[in-house]
Amino acid sequence: MPETAIEVRNITKKFGVHTEHEVTALDDVSISIKDNEFFTLLGPSGCGKTTLLRLIAGFEYSTRGQILLYGENLIGLPPQKRPINTVFQHYALFPHMTVAENVAFPMKMLGKDDGETKKAVNEKLELVKMQDFANRKPGQLSGGQQQRIALARALAPHPKVLLLDEPLSALDLKLRQEMRTELKNLQRETGITFIFVTHDQVEALTMSDRIAVMSVGKIQQRGCPTEIYEKPNNRFVADFIGETNLLEATVSKVEGNDIFCKLSDNIILKGEGETGKNVGDPVTLAVRPEKIALSPISEQTEGSFTGKINNSIYLGTDTTYIISVNGKSELASVEQNSAVGKVRFKIGDEVCINVADNAIRILED
Amino acid sequence: MEPAKREATKRWLGISPAVLVIFIFMVIPICIMAVYAFLEANPYGGVRPHFTLDAFIQFFFEYDFDDNLVFNSAYLNIYWRSFVLAFFTTVLCLLIGFPTAYYIAMQPTNKKNMLIFLVTIPFWTNLLIRTFSWILILRDYGVINNILLGMGVIDKPLTLLYTNGAVLIGLVYTYIPFIVLPIYATVEKLDLRLLEAAHDLYANRRQLMSKIILPLTAPGIIAGGILVFIPSLGAFIAPNLLGGGKKLMIGSLIQLQFASSRNWPFGSAAALFLMAAVLIAMMIYLLGPARKTDLGENAG
Ligand SMILES: Nc1ncnc2c1ncn2[C@@H]1O[C@H](COP(=O)(O)OP(=O)(O)OP(=O)(O)O)[C@@H](O)[C@H]1O
Ligand SMILES: [Mg+2]
C-alpha cells in the first residue's frame, strides 16, 4: 500500500474571525493524498480550493485541524521550510530575472552549488521544452511559455509535493488540451505527488488518479474519475460533473441493493446508490444522457417506456434529444451520429426509451 | 505633404510646449551663466563685458603676499565637504525612507492614504521656518539638551548646533519626503504574489529583501536618491542656519557671490563646477549599478 504524502485532518479555516464578515472557507475537511498520486481538487469558484492549497503551502494558518507531510506535522513551518512548491495561477515569475535565473532561484536559495544548479536548470528547461528561451525575460514570453517556466521553476528543487492552482485556466483551449497530457506525463516522469486545483471537470476527469469534489468548504465526494462520474453520491456531484438527468421519483420496492423507483404512471426504474430508503420515500435519480438509448416506437422492448421528442440539438459527433415523458418529466439523451443503423428522430416523434443497466443512481439528499 | 512627414511635423508640434519650457527655463539661464563666468566682475553687482578667466583662476588659486599665484584648495574643500554631506544625507534618507515607505505601502488603503498625507504635511510650512525650529531643538539650552540635562545624562550642554551633524540632520529632515514618495510609489506597485512565490521557493526574509524587493523597487530608490542628492548638494538654508555659515557648502558659497560678495562671474563659475560635478556623480550612480545588475533594463 502506497505511503500517504499529504494528510489533511479535520481542517477548518475561517477568515475574518470576530468580525461581521466571518467566512468559513473550509469546514472540517479531511483528505489523504497518496505518494506519487495525481490528485485533483475540483469545485466551483469560491468553494475553498485555493484556501486549501495555501494552507498546505504554508501561506495561511488553519483555524482548526492539522496537515501532515509523510506523517510529519507541518503546523508552524513557514513556506520556505516546507519541501512543497506551488505553480501559481498567475505564474508569479520574477520579472527582473531571466528564465534561467528564475529556474535557478530555488536552487540558489537552498544553497546548492553552481554545478548542481546549472544541471537542474538545464534538466527542467528541457523537461518543459524551453531550453531555447533560457536567456529571455518572462515579459518576452507568451502565457503558455510562462506557464512552462513556472512549472520548471517549481520542479527544479524536486519538491515532495507540487501544488498547482488552476495553472491552465489562462491558456486557450488548444494549448490547455496539450498541457493536460503534458502535465500528466510530467507527473509520471518525475514521480512527484501533484495536487491540482481546477473548476474544469474535463481537466479533472482526464488527468487525475483521484478527485475530491468540493462545494462551499466541504468535500462532497472522493474517488477515481470513473467513480466520480459514474457513481455520484449526491445531487451536487451529479450536477457539477458532466451532463445529467435528475428525476424525482418514489421508492416502490427495495430488494437488497436494488431499489425500484416509480417515476410516474407505471414507469418503474431500478437504481442503486443511497441505501436506507424505504418504500414510499421520495428520491432523486440521476442518469447520464449517454446511458439513455432511443429506438423507434415499433421496436419497443421489455423494460422500456415511451416519450415524445421535444427538441433535437445537433452537436457534430452527437445529437442531443430532449424528450418529454408523459408530458411532464424532461429527459436528455445523447446519441452518437456515427453509430451504425441509427435512426434520426424528428421533433414530435414518439420514441421508445431504454435506460442502460446500472445507469441509474439514487442520490443522497 | 507625405503622410510620414506630416506625422513627424505633428509629433514636433506635440512636444513643442515642453521644448519651449526647457529652452526658456533651462537652456537660456545656463547659457547666461556660462557667459557670465567668462566676464569681469562689476563691484556693484552684475558684470562688465570684458573676457577674462579670473573666475576660474580664483577657484583654484590665490595670490600670496608677493602677488604670485599659488594653489588654493579652500573652494575644492567646500565642494568636497558638500559632496560628503550630500552623500551621507542620501544614505540616511534611504535608510530611514525605505522602511518608512515600505511600511506605509503595506497598510490598508485608508491608512495608507492617511500616512502619505502626513508625509506631505511639512510642505505646508515654509522651509526657512522649519529649519529655524531645528535651531530651537539643537541649541545649547534647546529641547534635546534640556531633556538630557533634566534626565541627568549630561551635566553640561552638548554642542549640537553649528556642526556638520546639525547640517546633516537639517538636510535629512528637509529632503526625506522626496525619497519616501518615489519609493512608496514603486513598493505600492510591487506584486505581493511575487513575495509569496519567493517564500515558496525557499527564500528567507533577508534573501527576499535582497533578491526580490530591492531589485524590483530599484527605480524608486534611484529616483529618490537623485531627488535627495542633487538638491542637498546645492542646499544653502540648512547649511547656513544650522552650520552657522562658517562651514560653507556649495549652495552658500554660490549664494554669497551673488549677494554680499557681488562677484557674479565667480558665482557662475562655481555653479558651472557644481553642474559638472552633479553630472559626473549621476553618471557614476546610474551606470555603475545598472551595468552590474541590469537594473536599468528593468526600470522601464
Ligand atoms: N483572505 C481572505 N479573506 C477573507 N475571505 C477570504 C480570503 N480568502 C478567501 N476567502 C473566502 O474564502 C472562500 C474560498 O475562497 P478560495 O479562494 O479558496 O476559493 P476557490 O475555490 O479557490 O475559488 P476560485 O475557483 O474562484 O479560485 C471564498 O468565499 C472567499 O471569499
Ligand atoms: Mg482559487
Side-chain angles (χ1 to χ4, degrees):
Chain A
M1 190 180 149
E3 237 183 314
T4 305
I6 290 272
E7 173 139 19
V8 175
R9 272 193 201 156
N10 308 99
I11 284 282
T12 296
K13 172 71 189 175
K14 292 183 177 167
F15 288 106
V17 181
H18 306 309
T19 70
E20 58 206 289
H21 308 293
E22 186 173 303
V23 183
T24 305
L26 294 172
D27 185 5
D28 199 25
V29 167
S30 298
I31 313 179
S32 82
I33 295 157
K34 296 191 203 91
D35 185 41
N36 196 6
E37 186 171 40
F38 197 119
F39 191 91
T40 299
L41 291 167
L42 173 65
S45 187
C47 71
K49 309 178 295 286
T50 298
T51 306
L52 185 52
L53 275 203
R54 290 175 59 80
L55 279 161
I56 297 173
F59 299 129
E60 308 271 2
Y61 295 106
S62 60
T63 312
R64 257 197 309 283
Q66 306 179 309
I67 297 174
L68 309 179
L69 175 72
Y70 293 95
E72 263 176 69
N73 199 336
L74 288 178
I75 296 280
L77 273 189
Q80 65 267 31
K81 300 246 172 80
R82 301 186 181 196
I84 297 173
N85 288 350
T86 308
V87 177
F88 296 90
Q89 179 171 0
H90 44 86
Y91 315 138
L93 296 177
F94 304 127
H96 57 298
M97 299 181 191
T98 63
V99 162
E101 286 165 347
N102 262 281
V103 180
F105 185 83
M107 302 300 283
K108 293 217 179 104
M109 295 303 108
L110 286 171
K112 302 280 197 251
D113 61 51
D114 285 355
E116 201 177 337
T117 303
K118 215 171 204 152
K119 190 163 151 274
V121 170
N122 291 336
E123 218 176 83
K124 294 306 183 276
L125 284 181
E126 203 169 314
L127 197 64
V128 297
K129 306 189 192 74
M130 291 290 291
Q131 313 88 296
D132 299 340
F133 296 85
N135 294 320
R136 295 237 201 141
K137 290 273 173 76
Q140 304 165 316
L141 299 177
S142 73
Q145 292 167 338
Q146 292 185 30
Q147 212 270 319
R148 282 160 202 261
I149 301 307
L151 204 58
R153 185 179 67 174
L155 286 170
H158 208 87
K160 290 193 170 143
V161 176
L162 188 71
L163 310 176
L164 304 102
D165 191 356
E166 310 204 27
L168 306 184
S169 63
L171 307 181
D172 65 43
L173 184 63
K174 182 108 196 335
L175 200 54
R176 199 153 60 201
Q177 285 166 343
E178 273 173 40
M179 284 305 292
R180 276 179 205 153
T181 347
E182 272 185 42
L183 269 183
K184 181 70 200 159
N185 291 341
L186 216 57
Q187 192 269 328
R188 275 203 212 102
E189 279 169 41
T190 55
I192 294 173
T193 308
F194 276 35
I195 306 181
F196 183 86
V197 157
T198 181
H199 59 254
D200 181 337
Q201 35 135 343
V202 180
E203 241 166 65
L205 293 174
T206 50
M207 297 161 73
S208 323
D209 294 321
R210 279 195 313 140
I211 300 172
V213 184
M214 291 181 70
S215 154
V216 285
K218 287 202 171 88
I219 304 282
Q220 301 294 329
Q221 189 171 355
R222 307 167 183 76
C224 62
T226 46
E227 259 177 293
I228 297 281
Y229 186 80
E230 311 262 343
K231 297 192 163 69
N233 278 345
N234 58 32
R235 210 182 175 110
F236 176 82
V237 178
D239 210 22
F240 189 70
I241 315 275
E243 297 292 317
T244 198
N245 289 298
L246 293 172
L247 305 168
E248 304 303 328
T250 36
V251 177
S252 63
K253 194 167 62 162
V254 180
E255 266 177 20
N257 278 342
D258 292 341
I259 301 169
F260 293 86
C261 305
K262 186 169 150 173
L263 191 63
S264 67
D265 312 329
N266 305 327
I267 301 176
I268 307 265
L269 298 169
K270 187 180 82 172
E272 54 186 59
E274 169 71 1
T275 47
K277 294 280 182 195
N278 296 313
V279 174
D281 285 351
V283 286
T284 306
L285 308 180
V287 196
R288 299 286 178 196
E290 70 274 15
K291 303 279 185 179
I292 296 177
L294 303 180
S295 53
I297 196 86
S298 53
E299 296 170 17
Q300 186 151 17
T301 52
E302 204 203 329
S304 69
F305 51 100
T306 60
K308 200 171 117 202
I309 307 274
N310 263 356
N311 205 351
S312 110
I313 302 150
Y314 178 72
L315 297 167
T317 54
D318 318 299
T319 303
T320 300
Y321 294 105
I322 310 292
I323 314 142
S324 70
V325 180
N326 293 329
K328 48 175 206 195
S329 321
E330 288 225 315
L331 274 181
S333 159
V334 174
E335 306 246 297
Q336 273 191 10
N337 291 332
S338 61
V340 189
K342 271 287 171 204
V343 186
R344 300 283 302 277
F345 302 102
K346 295 190 299 295
I347 294 174
D349 280 359
E350 292 278 335
V351 287
C352 175
I353 302 164
N354 305 279
V355 181
D357 279 349
N358 306 330
I360 298 174
R361 286 289 293 176
I362 293 166
L363 302 179
E364 288 166 20
D365 304 312
Chain B
M1 255 196 287
E2 307 161 39
K5 228 178 184 175
R6 202 177 314 143
E7 271 305 304
T9 315
K10 257 197 216 153
R11 207 171 318 131
W12 272 108
L13 279 178
I15 60 169
S16 58
V19 172
L20 205 66
V21 166
I22 291 176
F23 188 76
I24 293 176
F25 292 106
M26 304 240 340
V27 179
I28 293 182
I30 290 175
C31 288
I32 294 176
M33 202 172 80
V35 171
Y36 273 31
F38 292 97
L39 297 179
E40 242 171 53
N42 181 340
Y44 302 106
V47 286
R48 290 204 202 106
H50 297 290
F51 175 85
T52 168
L53 288 174
D54 276 357
F56 295 91
I57 292 170
Q58 190 188 346
F59 197 84
F60 295 104
F61 303 99
E62 62 183 351
Y63 291 95
D64 64 9
F65 297 119
D66 304 327
D67 252 8
N68 294 322
L69 270 186
V70 290
F71 180 70
N72 170 13
S73 64
Y75 295 123
L76 284 179
N77 282 343
I78 292 176
Y79 274 62
W80 174 244
R81 189 172 50 245
S82 301
F83 258 86
V84 171
L85 273 170
F87 174 79
F88 282 110
T89 303
T90 311
V91 169
L92 278 176
C93 278
L94 277 174
L95 288 180
I96 303 169
F98 186 87
T100 311
Y102 192 87
Y103 172 81
I104 295 175
M106 292 299 150
Q107 299 307 306
T109 316
N110 316 351
K111 198 171 170 196
K112 198 154 63 179
N113 294 338
M114 175 69 183
L115 289 171
I116 278 300
F117 172 72
L118 289 178
V119 168
T120 62
I121 276 189
F123 294 130
W124 296 14
T125 315
N126 185 285
L127 177 61
L128 207 56
I129 294 169
R130 285 186 282 137
T131 310
F132 262 115
S133 59
W134 273 104
I135 296 182
L136 300 183
I137 297 172
L138 295 174
R139 67 183 176 183
D140 280 0
Y141 289 93
V143 178
I144 292 180
N145 273 319
N146 279 347
I147 290 176
L148 291 179
L149 286 169
M151 285 182 359
V153 182
I154 50 175
D155 45 32
K156 50 181 210 287
L158 301 170
T159 310
L160 299 174
L161 200 55
Y162 308 135
T163 59
N164 281 339
V167 176
L168 193 60
I169 290 176
L171 289 174
V172 169
Y173 167 76
T174 307
Y175 294 113
I176 202 141
F178 294 98
I179 211 160
V180 170
L181 296 177
I183 293 179
Y184 166 80
T186 48
V187 174
E188 226 237 329
K189 275 188 283 165
L190 195 62
D191 186 350
L192 298 184
R193 301 178 303 187
L194 293 179
L195 310 190
E196 260 185 5
H199 268 318
D200 191 60
L201 297 163
Y202 312 110
N204 58 31
R205 280 159 173 275
R206 203 171 40 75
Q207 291 165 322
L208 186 73
M209 184 53 75
S210 63
K211 303 277 191 243
I212 309 290
I213 297 176
L214 286 181
L216 288 176
T217 53
I221 296 173
I222 291 177
I226 292 173
L227 284 179
V228 169
F229 184 76
I230 294 181
S232 50
L233 202 51
F236 70 91
I237 292 186
N240 273 4
L241 295 184
L242 304 175
K246 282 174 293 182
K247 298 192 164 142
L248 284 185
M249 276 182 71
I250 304 177
S252 329
L253 174 71
I254 295 173
Q255 187 246 352
L256 267 180
Q257 303 315 312
F258 285 93
S260 41
S261 305
R262 297 194 190 270
N263 190 345
W264 290 23
F266 184 63
S268 299
L272 282 182
F273 276 118
L274 174 61
M275 245 176 65
V278 166
L279 279 177
I280 291 168
M282 280 308 102
M283 265 147 84
I284 294 169
Y285 187 54
L286 289 177
L287 295 181
R291 248 197 248 114
K292 257 180 264 139
T293 64
D294 228 4
L295 289 176
E297 197 178 321
N298 305 307

